[in-house]
Amino acid sequence: MWGLFAKVAKCLPAEAAHRAAIVTLQHNLGPRPARLTAKVNLKVSVAGLDFANPLGLAAGFDKNAECFNGAMQLGFGHVEVGTITPKPQPGNPKPRVFRLPKHQAVINRYGFNSHGMDAAAQNLQKMAAARTGVLGVNVGANKTSPAPIDDYHRAVARLARYADYITLNISSPNTPGLRNLQTKQHLADLLAAGRSGLAEAGLDSALPAKPIFLKIAPDLHPGDLAAIVESCVDAGVSGIIATNTTLARPEYLDGAHAAETGGLSGAPLFEAATAILADVSRRSDRRLGLIGAGGVAHGWQAYAKILVGADLVQLYSGLALQGPHLPGQILHQLAAMMDADGVSAPDQIKGQIVDPAAAIKYARALCEKI
Ligand SMILES: Cc1cc2nc3c(=O)[nH]c(=O)nc-3n(C[C@H](O)[C@H](O)[C@H](O)COP(=O)(O)O)c2cc1C
């Protein structure tokens, strides 16, 4: 049945297929991953939170917190909803999302289409009791906001009580000026706004503390990365999500949609995002939690991200291109690879090969043994 659903979805325009997937998961219809047979334990603890496994659904799929419970049933140990903006906004004109199946890639310029924080809060409250995994709430600024940093404060203050962790997303390429918040000069103010949002919600000094993660772009210079890591450590940020979509276009990218404006994700992002993750890992030296995103569609890719230092791994494009069996498959591949490597928990491989090319080579070779 799911094979048929995936085939039908592929015939729909990308945004219609996205909507169909949300409705399906809202009704909790989706394949359940088979029980793991390998003798490994995939549990992970990061920032004081316990995750059943390291794999999560990245932000952008469940933008309005409508189907996170159904998504968790696909096998994800955590789901990050959002990006949620304080006020509702329509996003960019359609079409604004494109599949590039030949390249296993997606280009999107959704532009933070959001029902706004009040609608999201209602959904989060309604569905809280049925939740089975860790929930992240990813927030951003409205496109026409006169004071974008205040938007982060407002969204955190409104939504933090429903979240296990909060992500400040300053790396979407589709909101003009947003990525400028990644510069050192703005970062301290942004992170302070996140903290003051928690304080307004009465959660800043709560125990356990509510973790804040920062989501960064893959198109940063090494100098920017150094400043981001140090600002995060100084501000008490719990983790960095590396990375969002890229503005870069590899030369080999061709086909009908290759020239569309927007952020590129999926397979062409994998190596660059893993390199940025490795760089953040080296610079943060275990002072921050690390979440690797970008181009994961197989267990070996998740394995490589953990090898360079990720605690958790997220994906989105793989799900859109391959369908709802993907998370279960990746968990099985990950467990089998750990078994073949003689390790029993993800923490035992985390940060063991910091050179990204070497980590990718190792993970690929290990995958061939399973
Ligand atoms: C269609 C689409 C919409 C996205 N929307 C968001 C978003 O609203 N907020 C966000 O932080 N990231 C968003 N992302 C980025 C993903 O969360 C992820 O960081 C990126 O796509 C890399 O992972 P992937 O290669 O597995 O897709 C979006 C990605 C896609 C493909």
Side-chain angles (χ1 to χ4, degrees):
M1 175 196 161
W2 288 107
L4 182 65
F5 179 83
K7 275 190 195 136
V8 173
K10 274 181 196 158
C11 299
L12 295 172
E15 187 161 348
H18 181 189
R19 191 65 219 159
I22 290 172
V23 172
T24 308
L25 293 178
Q26 261 177 334
H27 290 90
N28 223 350
L29 299 169
R32 304 282 178 269
R35 192 176 267 279
L36 294 178
T37 47
K39 298 175 289 300
V40 298
N41 181 353
L42 289 180
K43 287 185 185 158
V44 179
S45 294
V46 191
L49 300 172
D50 295 326
F51 297 74
N53 65 63
L55 191 64
L57 177 57
F61 181 84
D62 189 9
K63 284 180 182 283
N64 297 298
E66 296 173 289
C67 68
F68 54 90
N69 285 335
M72 284 174 188
Q73 299 301 319
L74 300 180
F76 291 115
H78 71 284
V79 171
E80 189 168 309
V81 300
T83 293
I84 300 166
T85 54
K87 289 192 207 151
Q89 63 176 28
N92 288 321
K94 297 177 189 175
R96 51 195 179 176
V97 53
F98 308 90
R99 289 174 296 218
L100 290 74
K102 176 182 164 193
H103 298 291
Q104 287 297 294
V106 175
I107 293 176
N108 94 85
R109 51 171 180 271
Y110 267 118
F112 287 175
N113 49 320
S114 172
H115 297 171
M117 64 183 183
D118 291 333
Q122 275 184 12
N123 292 343
L124 289 164
Q125 187 160 28
K126 205 167 54 194
M127 298 199 284
R131 179 150 73 81
T132 53
V134 173
L135 181 75
V137 173
N138 173 312
V139 299
N142 279 112
K143 184 177 179 184
T144 55
S145 172
I149 286 182
D150 290 349
D151 281 22
Y152 288 87
H153 165 95
R154 291 173 56 210
V156 172
R158 181 75 177 96
L159 298 171
R161 79 195 68 171
Y162 307 110
D164 292 314
Y165 71 85
I166 284 283
T167 297
L168 306 178
N169 177 20
I170 48 169
S171 47
S172 166
N174 301 316
T175 296
L178 195 83
R179 286 183 168 195
N180 295 340
L181 297 179
Q182 293 176 129
T183 54
K184 192 174 180 184
Q185 150 204 21
H186 293 300
L187 211 48
D189 291 343
L190 174 88
L191 299 174
R195 291 235 81 93
S196 67
L198 285 185
E200 191 178 318
L203 295 167
D204 195 28
S205 54
L207 283 175
K210 190 102 5 173
I212 293 184
F213 295 159
L214 186 76
K215 183 160 178 180
I216 64 170
D219 310 318
L220 290 162
H221 298 296
D224 300 329
L225 272 186
I228 288 173
V229 168
E230 291 315 316
S231 301
C232 284
V233 171
D234 291 348
V237 166
S238 297
I240 290 184
I241 304 181
T243 68
N244 212 313
T245 58
T246 181
L247 285 169
R249 294 290 185 270
E251 267 175 33
Y252 62 78
L253 212 67
D254 60 4
H257 300 306
E260 292 291 348
T261 303
L264 173 71
S265 55
L269 176 59
F270 174 69
E271 284 186 17
T274 307
I276 294 280
L277 174 72
D279 201 341
V280 173
S281 172
R282 268 195 303 269
R283 291 174 194 278
S284 61
D285 197 17
R286 297 195 176 237
R287 292 175 295 166
L288 297 168
L290 289 188
I291 300 96
V296 173
H298 195 286
W300 71 263
Q301 291 164 319
Y303 208 91
K305 295 219 190 247
I306 299 172
L307 282 175
V308 301
D311 296 281
L312 301 167
V313 174
Q314 295 182 337
L315 64 83
Y316 177 168
S317 300
L319 185 73
L321 293 158
Q322 297 199 24
H325 282 103
L326 189 68
Q329 270 170 18
I330 291 179
L331 293 178
H332 278 266
Q333 290 156 349
L334 202 54
M337 288 178 70
M338 284 167 56
D339 224 9
D341 214 2
V343 297
S344 56
D347 201 38
Q348 292 168 6
I349 57 167
K350 185 181 100 178
Q352 292 302 307
I353 306 182
V354 285
D355 175 59
I360 290 170
K361 194 170 165 202
Y362 182 89
R364 266 182 188 279
L366 185 62
C367 175
E368 278 164 20
K369 292 192 197 154
I370 64 170

